[in-house]
Amino acid sequence: MLAQTAASALEPYVMLPEPSSLRSSTSTVPEGARRTVFTPAKEAKTKQGVETYSADEFKKIGISVDAFQEKAKAAADRRLAQVHPEYIKDDEGVTRYAVFRGESSLIASLVIAPKLVSQFSAIFGEEVWAALPDRHSLYIFPPKPELLAEFTDDLAARFHNDPFAASCEVFSLKAGREPIVVADFGD
């Protein structure tokens, strides 16, 4: 999905969602989160595909975490324009949810893309819920607890079984607002 071309540079501005146990001095905690942090990271030519900045590396960038996050949002919007979700529909053809999946370790970081909500507002309304159990997927749901409940076992298994887990929390996304945690599927 987010395949790296030979001519394109690696992305230096990524806010990587990860379990709070991996928190660093530059990590931020999304509103309402108990088990997730967003950590400044960069795309890398490694098996993981992404690396968090050490404190010394981040200091050399010469900007604040807030300024880094703004650059990461703009970068996420650029990546979002290059990918397309799969729409999962019911028997009547109504979209139940959408999912971005792929080999890139940057997919879950799309959760901070400012244009993400507008991509789904015609289908789900002005608020969507996002689940990002691992770095390689991002699920978008309408804000309906009963629908999300159908998928919590699968999401929890993906989170617990993936060596590159991202978050076991569910984020409410609205245009112009930072992601807010509204639920947890990790238990």
Side-chain angles (χ1 to χ4, degrees), residues 138-178:
L138 174 61
Y139 294 80
I140 305 296
F141 295 94
K144 297 179 180 178
E146 65 280 1
L147 176 62
L148 184 64
E150 294 177 37
F151 300 97
T152 55
D153 289 344
D154 181 58
L155 293 169
R158 289 174 186 276
F159 174 77
H160 290 296
N161 296 325
D162 195 301
F164 303 114
S167 176
C168 63
E169 295 178 305
V170 178
F171 295 83
S172 167
L173 307 177
K174 288 185 179 179
R177 187 190 76 189
E178 297 296 322

Side-chain angles (χ1 to χ4, degrees), residues 91-173:
D91 292 339
E92 285 93 43
V94 176
T95 301
R96 300 190 76 214
Y97 66 96
V99 61
F100 295 92
R101 285 186 260 239
E103 293 182 25
S104 171
S105 294
L106 303 182
I107 292 175
S109 70
L110 294 173
V111 72
I112 67 164
K115 294 179 182 173
L116 183 63
V117 175
S118 64
Q119 184 170 339
F120 297 98
S121 61
I123 301 168
F124 299 137
E126 298 303 313
E127 177 184 15
V128 296
W129 286 0
L132 35 148
D134 56 64
R135 294 178 185 174
H136 303 100
S137 63
L138 174 61
Y139 294 80
I140 305 296
F141 295 94
K144 297 179 180 178
E146 65 280 1
L147 176 62
L148 184 64
E150 294 177 37
F151 300 97
T152 55
D153 289 344
D154 181 58
L155 293 169
R158 289 174 186 276
F159 174 77
H160 290 296
N161 296 325
D162 195 301
F164 303 114
S167 176
C168 63
E169 295 178 305
V170 178
F171 295 83
S172 167
L173 307 177

